Amino acid sequence: MRPLTDEETKTFFEKLSKYIGENIKLLIDRPDGAYCFRLHNDRVFYVREELMKRAGNISRENLISLGTCFGKFTKAGKFRLHITALDFLAPYAKFKVWVKSSAEQQFLYGHHIMKSGLGRITENTPQYQGVIVYSMHDLPLGFGVAAKSTQECRHTDPMTIVAFHQADIGEYIRSEETLL
Amino acid sequence: MGRKRDAGEKVKSGPGRKAKKQQPPSRFLNEEERDDKKKLSRRQKKRFKNRLEKAAAIAIAKEKITERDNGKEIKKRATVPKVGIKRKIPHSDEDSAEESSEEEIQADEIEKKDDDADISGYTDDNKEWLKPTGKASLMEEDASDESANEDIEEMADEFGDSDDSEEDKKDEDDLLPVEKAAKNLRKKQRVDRKLAEEDLKTNIAESETFVLPSGQEIEKDTQTQDLAIVQQRIKEIMFVLSDFKSRREQGRGRKEYLSQLCKDLCTYYSYNEYLMECLMQLFPLEIVEFLEANEVQRPVTIRANTLKTRRRDLAQVLINRGVNLDPIGKWSKVGLVVYDSQVPIGATPEYLAGHYILQGGASFLPVMALAPQENERILDMCAAPGGKTTYIAALMRNTGMLFANDANKDRAKAIVGNLHRMGITNTVVSEYDGKQFPKVMTGFDRVLIDAPCSGTGVVSKDPEVKVNKDEKDILRCSHLQKELLLAAIDCCDAKSKSGGYIVYSTCSIMVEENEWVIDYALRKRNVKLVPAGLDFGREGFVNFGKYRFHPSLKLTRRFYPHTHNLDGFFVAKLKKFSNKITGQTKDKPTTDKKDSEDTEVQTGKEAKHN
């Protein structure tokens, strides 16, 4: 367990800002205590500082997880967000996509979102913008990338993909083993 | 398998979804009050009554005989029908024709019996259990007689408004062909059932006399594996044992009955003999109820995650998805029982979003006993798969620090998944052998230890336990549990302002894994038992078999499938009052003088086990 290096921080924050923009600083400057990001087993954990200090007692081999896991660094040095970060992305999301209840299950099984399943979308979403996916009851389901801008979405036919799937909460069941 | 239904509990009926729901799953307090009185089955009651009446009738008849020998035929005819009518009272409304014929049969029977009695010269006091062998046929007759009565009753039940056969015939003319066919079919079924019952009766007639079968007979039975006979014998033996003094067969000891019962129960429910003996010791009266409860699954229960939702909202959402559910009971504000569901309950979007977790009702209990407070430091020593851990974190509202530990890395992954799904951020997951944990970190305010156990309380979940647990396994578990409990106590800080509590729980019902372990900890560390804060459940054992425990062990709580409709469970709450370790300081002997002998015996056993 160690703090992130400058380079890692840069990659990580770049990725994060695709979804929540400048709201990252709200994650770090919190009124209810000091929080920090820590790297352990190539994974980035977001954890309260007191808890992190206590967790220092536990040896590296025996420590499995602390706080919330945001994602992991691949061997190539890229950062990949995990579904476990959703709890912190959803409240600060800049751009959102709502899926109809008929397409909810589709998305939860790992499929992209078609125009036919699109319920609502934030105005002025640019193409390839990171978006958080919600159900029509405002239940966060996952996140992805907008395949079309809001303008383009209006005029496409129903079977075109409007948002690419990246992660969904179905992964808690589908890939519990690889989650961490 | 012929479980008795509770007639006292009425299901509400009426229109609307809520009204049509099933019976409440928790049969808690009234069940417990009720079960200390042994109930006879309907058949048993009937038989008992018959016997009494017959004895009375014979006594009367005999008196007459001794008064005068001449004209005895006429006299008996006069007295006997009275008895018959008296016996008929409960169901004498419709079938007067059959009744009269039956009366005659009974009269004949009694006459015959009377003759028998005269010949063999038994006194009336012994009549209840002394049965000459020649009378077997008579008993059979009696049985078929009974079954005939029953049939009539049954018919009345099924066709509550059906009339006599003559009227039936009249009606038959204006019936549709389909109805006629249905009627014929029903009649045929009735006859079939009657025949089948009679078959069964003749098969089991020999055991009606409560005579313990000989070795050969048992061998024959085991070869044929007729479970109906075995079940009947279990019933008979339980009946005899419920009033052993008056119902036993002369010359047979209680031990013989018990060993036969044990064998039969093992055959019928397929347990191994060691486990069955232990269970019979635990439940001398309610063994059958317990075993039957083990055959049925416990209801599926879920716990609402108070960090993300409220129980009421969750229930509403799930009802909209076509799930039939209800609150689990008065004792929990977060539990729901799921009766049936049109969608897989473990894969709804709400489940994936962490609004609830599938968790057995029994595993709420240790956490409720632990009563975690906000901003405390808490350890869950054997945490996987994280059901209790997430409950603790929810009660702490994500404040303070929670350490979830499990010895198995693969199982620890399940904790991580559940924690993230439920949105819990205050938890550190580690993978240590619980025994080593005091070396890693101490000073916790509260410690929960849900020790690995033999699982004798969750047979309904894992029927393997029935056959693959023997004494060695139990003692091995017990040994591990003692070590883990001591480690847990060492992790706890007695000087904590708000806490200093340790909760020990297992899903086993064996005394060796529960009370014995706690008693050991009471002697080895400066801890005392405190009330667990659970207002239901049975008290723990203070004396059991060869064991004599500390009197405060009655503060522990036991939960059983048949009384609480929860998994078999044990919960004990300990308060640590000093960080000193008893063995090293010697200034605080916690055991009484009285207990010292047993202590020696037990430690001797442990040494052997080590």
PDB file of all heavy atoms in Angstrom, chain A residues 4 7-21 24-25 27-28 37 73 79:
ATOM      1  N   LEU A   4      -0.054   7.204  -4.670  1.00  0.00           N
ATOM      2  CA  LEU A   4       0.161   7.116  -6.107  1.00  0.00           C
ATOM      3  C   LEU A   4       1.327   8.024  -6.509  1.00  0.00           C
ATOM      4  O   LEU A   4       1.516   9.093  -5.921  1.00  0.00           O
ATOM      5  CB  LEU A   4      -1.097   7.553  -6.876  1.00  0.00           C
ATOM      6  CG  LEU A   4      -2.217   6.524  -7.031  1.00  0.00           C
ATOM      7  CD1 LEU A   4      -2.931   6.285  -5.730  1.00  0.00           C
ATOM      8  CD2 LEU A   4      -3.195   6.976  -8.101  1.00  0.00           C
ATOM      9  N   GLU A   7       2.831  10.278 -11.966  1.00  0.00           N
ATOM     10  CA  GLU A   7       2.358   9.803 -13.261  1.00  0.00           C
ATOM     11  C   GLU A   7       1.047   9.031 -13.113  1.00  0.00           C
ATOM     12  O   GLU A   7       0.095   9.228 -13.872  1.00  0.00           O
ATOM     13  CB  GLU A   7       3.426   8.891 -13.874  1.00  0.00           C
ATOM     14  CG  GLU A   7       3.287   8.739 -15.373  1.00  0.00           C
ATOM     15  CD  GLU A   7       4.391   7.866 -15.920  1.00  0.00           C
ATOM     16  OE1 GLU A   7       5.510   7.895 -15.352  1.00  0.00           O
ATOM     17  OE2 GLU A   7       4.121   7.140 -16.889  1.00  0.00           O
ATOM     18  N   GLU A   8       1.038   8.177 -12.095  1.00  0.00           N
ATOM     19  CA  GLU A   8      -0.178   7.409 -11.843  1.00  0.00           C
ATOM     20  C   GLU A   8      -1.348   8.337 -11.527  1.00  0.00           C
ATOM     21  O   GLU A   8      -2.450   8.156 -12.030  1.00  0.00           O
ATOM     22  CB  GLU A   8       0.051   6.439 -10.675  1.00  0.00           C
ATOM     23  CG  GLU A   8       0.845   5.206 -11.053  1.00  0.00           C
ATOM     24  CD  GLU A   8       1.385   4.491  -9.837  1.00  0.00           C
ATOM     25  OE1 GLU A   8       1.360   5.074  -8.716  1.00  0.00           O
ATOM     26  OE2 GLU A   8       1.847   3.359 -10.006  1.00  0.00           O
ATOM     27  N   THR A   9      -1.046   9.340 -10.690  1.00  0.00           N
ATOM     28  CA  THR A   9      -2.107  10.279 -10.335  1.00  0.00           C
ATOM     29  C   THR A   9      -2.672  10.941 -11.581  1.00  0.00           C
ATOM     30  O   THR A   9      -3.882  11.109 -11.710  1.00  0.00           O
ATOM     31  CB  THR A   9      -1.550  11.374  -9.394  1.00  0.00           C
ATOM     32  OG1 THR A   9      -0.743  10.742  -8.412  1.00  0.00           O
ATOM     33  CG2 THR A   9      -2.666  12.137  -8.735  1.00  0.00           C
ATOM     34  N   LYS A  10      -1.774  11.298 -12.496  1.00  0.00           N
ATOM     35  CA  LYS A  10      -2.196  11.981 -13.711  1.00  0.00           C
ATOM     36  C   LYS A  10      -3.123  11.082 -14.544  1.00  0.00           C
ATOM     37  O   LYS A  10      -4.227  11.481 -14.914  1.00  0.00           O
ATOM     38  CB  LYS A  10      -0.953  12.369 -14.541  1.00  0.00           C
ATOM     39  CG  LYS A  10      -1.251  13.382 -15.603  1.00  0.00           C
ATOM     40  CD  LYS A  10       0.046  13.994 -16.115  1.00  0.00           C
ATOM     41  CE  LYS A  10      -0.158  14.570 -17.501  1.00  0.00           C
ATOM     42  NZ  LYS A  10       0.217  13.626 -18.568  1.00  0.00           N
ATOM     43  N   THR A  11      -2.667   9.846 -14.780  1.00  0.00           N
ATOM     44  CA  THR A  11      -3.501   8.924 -15.562  1.00  0.00           C
ATOM     45  C   THR A  11      -4.852   8.720 -14.890  1.00  0.00           C
ATOM     46  O   THR A  11      -5.900   8.728 -15.538  1.00  0.00           O
ATOM     47  CB  THR A  11      -2.807   7.540 -15.644  1.00  0.00           C
ATOM     48  OG1 THR A  11      -1.434   7.689 -15.401  1.00  0.00           O
ATOM     49  CG2 THR A  11      -3.068   6.884 -16.960  1.00  0.00           C
ATOM     50  N   PHE A  12      -4.779   8.521 -13.601  1.00  0.00           N
ATOM     51  CA  PHE A  12      -5.984   8.213 -12.844  1.00  0.00           C
ATOM     52  C   PHE A  12      -6.973   9.375 -12.887  1.00  0.00           C
ATOM     53  O   PHE A  12      -8.155   9.185 -13.198  1.00  0.00           O
ATOM     54  CB  PHE A  12      -5.578   7.875 -11.409  1.00  0.00           C
ATOM     55  CG  PHE A  12      -6.731   7.700 -10.472  1.00  0.00           C
ATOM     56  CD1 PHE A  12      -7.751   6.801 -10.755  1.00  0.00           C
ATOM     57  CD2 PHE A  12      -6.800   8.422  -9.283  1.00  0.00           C
ATOM     58  CE1 PHE A  12      -8.809   6.632  -9.883  1.00  0.00           C
ATOM     59  CE2 PHE A  12      -7.860   8.260  -8.421  1.00  0.00           C
ATOM     60  CZ  PHE A  12      -8.859   7.361  -8.726  1.00  0.00           C
ATOM     61  N   PHE A  13      -6.481  10.572 -12.620  1.00  0.00           N
ATOM     62  CA  PHE A  13      -7.379  11.734 -12.596  1.00  0.00           C
ATOM     63  C   PHE A  13      -7.922  12.063 -13.980  1.00  0.00           C
ATOM     64  O   PHE A  13      -9.053  12.505 -14.117  1.00  0.00           O
ATOM     65  CB  PHE A  13      -6.676  12.952 -11.992  1.00  0.00           C
ATOM     66  CG  PHE A  13      -6.665  12.928 -10.481  1.00  0.00           C
ATOM     67  CD1 PHE A  13      -7.062  11.793  -9.795  1.00  0.00           C
ATOM     68  CD2 PHE A  13      -6.267  14.037  -9.750  1.00  0.00           C
ATOM     69  CE1 PHE A  13      -7.060  11.755  -8.414  1.00  0.00           C
ATOM     70  CE2 PHE A  13      -6.257  14.011  -8.355  1.00  0.00           C
ATOM     71  CZ  PHE A  13      -6.654  12.860  -7.701  1.00  0.00           C
ATOM     72  N   GLU A  14      -7.101  11.833 -14.998  1.00  0.00           N
ATOM     73  CA  GLU A  14      -7.579  12.055 -16.364  1.00  0.00           C
ATOM     74  C   GLU A  14      -8.802  11.197 -16.648  1.00  0.00           C
ATOM     75  O   GLU A  14      -9.808  11.659 -17.178  1.00  0.00           O
ATOM     76  CB  GLU A  14      -6.476  11.701 -17.367  1.00  0.00           C
ATOM     77  CG  GLU A  14      -5.912  12.903 -18.090  1.00  0.00           C
ATOM     78  CD  GLU A  14      -4.664  12.537 -18.863  1.00  0.00           C
ATOM     79  OE1 GLU A  14      -4.611  11.398 -19.405  1.00  0.00           O
ATOM     80  OE2 GLU A  14      -3.728  13.354 -18.904  1.00  0.00           O
ATOM     81  N   LYS A  15      -8.647   9.935 -16.258  1.00  0.00           N
ATOM     82  CA  LYS A  15      -9.744   9.002 -16.476  1.00  0.00           C
ATOM     83  C   LYS A  15     -10.977   9.440 -15.702  1.00  0.00           C
ATOM     84  O   LYS A  15     -12.097   9.469 -16.225  1.00  0.00           O
ATOM     85  CB  LYS A  15      -9.291   7.615 -16.039  1.00  0.00           C
ATOM     86  CG  LYS A  15     -10.277   6.519 -16.317  1.00  0.00           C
ATOM     87  CD  LYS A  15     -10.443   6.280 -17.805  1.00  0.00           C
ATOM     88  CE  LYS A  15     -10.568   4.813 -18.122  1.00  0.00           C
ATOM     89  NZ  LYS A  15     -10.400   4.564 -19.545  1.00  0.00           N
ATOM     90  N   LEU A  16     -10.765   9.758 -14.445  1.00  0.00           N
ATOM     91  CA  LEU A  16     -11.871  10.110 -13.561  1.00  0.00           C
ATOM     92  C   LEU A  16     -12.599  11.349 -14.067  1.00  0.00           C
ATOM     93  O   LEU A  16     -13.825  11.445 -14.013  1.00  0.00           O
ATOM     94  CB  LEU A  16     -11.318  10.353 -12.154  1.00  0.00           C
ATOM     95  CG  LEU A  16     -12.185   9.932 -10.973  1.00  0.00           C
ATOM     96  CD1 LEU A  16     -12.626   8.495 -11.119  1.00  0.00           C
ATOM     97  CD2 LEU A  16     -11.419  10.114  -9.683  1.00  0.00           C
ATOM     98  N   SER A  17     -11.815  12.319 -14.595  1.00  0.00           N
ATOM     99  CA  SER A  17     -12.418  13.585 -15.000  1.00  0.00           C
ATOM    100  C   SER A  17     -13.292  13.414 -16.239  1.00  0.00           C
ATOM    101  O   SER A  17     -14.119  14.262 -16.539  1.00  0.00           O
ATOM    102  CB  SER A  17     -11.328  14.635 -15.267  1.00  0.00           C
ATOM    103  OG  SER A  17     -10.573  14.225 -16.366  1.00  0.00           O
ATOM    104  N   LYS A  18     -13.124  12.292 -16.934  1.00  0.00           N
ATOM    105  CA  LYS A  18     -14.013  12.039 -18.072  1.00  0.00           C
ATOM    106  C   LYS A  18     -15.446  11.863 -17.610  1.00  0.00           C
ATOM    107  O   LYS A  18     -16.382  12.059 -18.373  1.00  0.00           O
ATOM    108  CB  LYS A  18     -13.565  10.774 -18.807  1.00  0.00           C
ATOM    109  CG  LYS A  18     -12.426  11.023 -19.747  1.00  0.00           C
ATOM    110  CD  LYS A  18     -12.126   9.771 -20.541  1.00  0.00           C
ATOM    111  CE  LYS A  18     -10.922  10.024 -21.433  1.00  0.00           C
ATOM    112  NZ  LYS A  18     -10.348   8.759 -21.913  1.00  0.00           N
ATOM    113  N   TYR A  19     -15.611  11.420 -16.377  1.00  0.00           N
ATOM    114  CA  TYR A  19     -16.964  11.136 -15.893  1.00  0.00           C
ATOM    115  C   TYR A  19     -17.487  12.247 -14.986  1.00  0.00           C
ATOM    116  O   TYR A  19     -18.661  12.583 -15.033  1.00  0.00           O
ATOM    117  CB  TYR A  19     -16.984   9.801 -15.138  1.00  0.00           C
ATOM    118  CG  TYR A  19     -16.641   8.650 -16.030  1.00  0.00           C
ATOM    119  CD1 TYR A  19     -15.325   8.253 -16.206  1.00  0.00           C
ATOM    120  CD2 TYR A  19     -17.629   7.985 -16.739  1.00  0.00           C
ATOM    121  CE1 TYR A  19     -14.994   7.216 -17.056  1.00  0.00           C
ATOM    122  CE2 TYR A  19     -17.314   6.946 -17.592  1.00  0.00           C
ATOM    123  CZ  TYR A  19     -15.987   6.563 -17.738  1.00  0.00           C
ATOM    124  OH  TYR A  19     -15.680   5.543 -18.590  1.00  0.00           O
ATOM    125  N   ILE A  20     -16.613  12.756 -14.114  1.00  0.00           N
ATOM    126  CA  ILE A  20     -17.134  13.718 -13.139  1.00  0.00           C
ATOM    127  C   ILE A  20     -16.492  15.089 -13.272  1.00  0.00           C
ATOM    128  O   ILE A  20     -16.763  15.978 -12.465  1.00  0.00           O
ATOM    129  CB  ILE A  20     -16.971  13.184 -11.690  1.00  0.00           C
ATOM    130  CG1 ILE A  20     -15.508  12.902 -11.376  1.00  0.00           C
ATOM    131  CG2 ILE A  20     -17.813  11.942 -11.490  1.00  0.00           C
ATOM    132  CD1 ILE A  20     -15.290  12.502  -9.924  1.00  0.00           C
ATOM    133  N   GLY A  21     -15.656  15.279 -14.273  1.00  0.00           N
ATOM    134  CA  GLY A  21     -15.085  16.602 -14.537  1.00  0.00           C
ATOM    135  C   GLY A  21     -14.297  17.139 -13.364  1.00  0.00           C
ATOM    136  O   GLY A  21     -13.537  16.397 -12.728  1.00  0.00           O
ATOM    137  N   ILE A  24     -13.738  16.201  -9.094  1.00  0.00           N
ATOM    138  CA  ILE A  24     -12.749  15.368  -8.398  1.00  0.00           C
ATOM    139  C   ILE A  24     -12.339  16.002  -7.085  1.00  0.00           C
ATOM    140  O   ILE A  24     -12.160  15.316  -6.076  1.00  0.00           O
ATOM    141  CB  ILE A  24     -11.497  15.178  -9.285  1.00  0.00           C
ATOM    142  CG1 ILE A  24     -11.865  14.413 -10.555  1.00  0.00           C
ATOM    143  CG2 ILE A  24     -10.427  14.419  -8.525  1.00  0.00           C
ATOM    144  CD1 ILE A  24     -10.715  14.263 -11.513  1.00  0.00           C
ATOM    145  N   LYS A  25     -12.242  17.319  -7.112  1.00  0.00           N
ATOM    146  CA  LYS A  25     -11.739  17.955  -5.885  1.00  0.00           C
ATOM    147  C   LYS A  25     -12.724  17.812  -4.724  1.00  0.00           C
ATOM    148  O   LYS A  25     -12.337  17.846  -3.567  1.00  0.00           O
ATOM    149  CB  LYS A  25     -11.396  19.424  -6.155  1.00  0.00           C
ATOM    150  CG  LYS A  25     -12.550  20.338  -6.456  1.00  0.00           C
ATOM    151  CD  LYS A  25     -12.009  21.776  -6.479  1.00  0.00           C
ATOM    152  CE  LYS A  25     -13.119  22.794  -6.679  1.00  0.00           C
ATOM    153  NZ  LYS A  25     -13.720  22.725  -8.025  1.00  0.00           N
ATOM    154  N   LEU A  27     -14.068  15.070  -4.061  1.00  0.00           N
ATOM    155  CA  LEU A  27     -13.737  13.771  -3.473  1.00  0.00           C
ATOM    156  C   LEU A  27     -12.602  13.900  -2.467  1.00  0.00           C
ATOM    157  O   LEU A  27     -12.525  13.147  -1.499  1.00  0.00           O
ATOM    158  CB  LEU A  27     -13.320  12.791  -4.572  1.00  0.00           C
ATOM    159  CG  LEU A  27     -14.418  12.152  -5.432  1.00  0.00           C
ATOM    160  CD1 LEU A  27     -13.785  11.215  -6.449  1.00  0.00           C
ATOM    161  CD2 LEU A  27     -15.390  11.383  -4.552  1.00  0.00           C
ATOM    162  N   ILE A  28     -11.709  14.838  -2.726  1.00  0.00           N
ATOM    163  CA  ILE A  28     -10.529  14.947  -1.866  1.00  0.00           C
ATOM    164  C   ILE A  28     -10.763  15.904  -0.702  1.00  0.00           C
ATOM    165  O   ILE A  28     -10.446  15.575   0.442  1.00  0.00           O
ATOM    166  CB  ILE A  28      -9.313  15.374  -2.713  1.00  0.00           C
ATOM    167  CG1 ILE A  28      -9.027  14.282  -3.759  1.00  0.00           C
ATOM    168  CG2 ILE A  28      -8.088  15.580  -1.835  1.00  0.00           C
ATOM    169  CD1 ILE A  28      -8.177  14.749  -4.890  1.00  0.00           C
ATOM    170  N   PHE A  37      -6.218   8.620  -1.795  1.00  0.00           N
ATOM    171  CA  PHE A  37      -6.161   7.481  -2.703  1.00  0.00           C
ATOM    172  C   PHE A  37      -4.894   6.693  -2.400  1.00  0.00           C
ATOM    173  O   PHE A  37      -3.829   7.265  -2.182  1.00  0.00           O
ATOM    174  CB  PHE A  37      -6.139   7.959  -4.162  1.00  0.00           C
ATOM    175  CG  PHE A  37      -7.459   8.539  -4.603  1.00  0.00           C
ATOM    176  CD1 PHE A  37      -7.647   9.906  -4.661  1.00  0.00           C
ATOM    177  CD2 PHE A  37      -8.500   7.700  -4.957  1.00  0.00           C
ATOM    178  CE1 PHE A  37      -8.856  10.428  -5.061  1.00  0.00           C
ATOM    179  CE2 PHE A  37      -9.720   8.220  -5.362  1.00  0.00           C
ATOM    180  CZ  PHE A  37      -9.900   9.581  -5.411  1.00  0.00           C
ATOM    181  N   PHE A  73      -4.758  -0.374 -12.360  1.00  0.00           N
ATOM    182  CA  PHE A  73      -3.824  -0.061 -13.436  1.00  0.00           C
ATOM    183  C   PHE A  73      -3.531  -1.331 -14.204  1.00  0.00           C
ATOM    184  O   PHE A  73      -3.243  -2.374 -13.606  1.00  0.00           O
ATOM    185  CB  PHE A  73      -2.530   0.524 -12.879  1.00  0.00           C
ATOM    186  CG  PHE A  73      -2.667   1.973 -12.528  1.00  0.00           C
ATOM    187  CD1 PHE A  73      -2.848   2.360 -11.207  1.00  0.00           C
ATOM    188  CD2 PHE A  73      -2.621   2.954 -13.502  1.00  0.00           C
ATOM    189  CE1 PHE A  73      -2.989   3.696 -10.879  1.00  0.00           C
ATOM    190  CE2 PHE A  73      -2.758   4.293 -13.176  1.00  0.00           C
ATOM    191  CZ  PHE A  73      -2.946   4.663 -11.866  1.00  0.00           C
ATOM    192  N   PHE A  79      -5.312   3.150 -16.877  1.00  0.00           N
ATOM    193  CA  PHE A  79      -6.162   2.953 -15.703  1.00  0.00           C
ATOM    194  C   PHE A  79      -7.551   2.530 -16.150  1.00  0.00           C
ATOM    195  O   PHE A  79      -8.098   3.059 -17.117  1.00  0.00           O
ATOM    196  CB  PHE A  79      -6.262   4.226 -14.871  1.00  0.00           C
ATOM    197  CG  PHE A  79      -7.079   4.026 -13.627  1.00  0.00           C
ATOM    198  CD1 PHE A  79      -6.539   3.361 -12.540  1.00  0.00           C
ATOM    199  CD2 PHE A  79      -8.390   4.464 -13.553  1.00  0.00           C
ATOM    200  CE1 PHE A  79      -7.284   3.141 -11.400  1.00  0.00           C
ATOM    201  CE2 PHE A  79      -9.145   4.257 -12.409  1.00  0.00           C
ATOM    202  CZ  PHE A  79      -8.587   3.590 -11.331  1.00  0.00           C
TER     203      PHE A  79
END
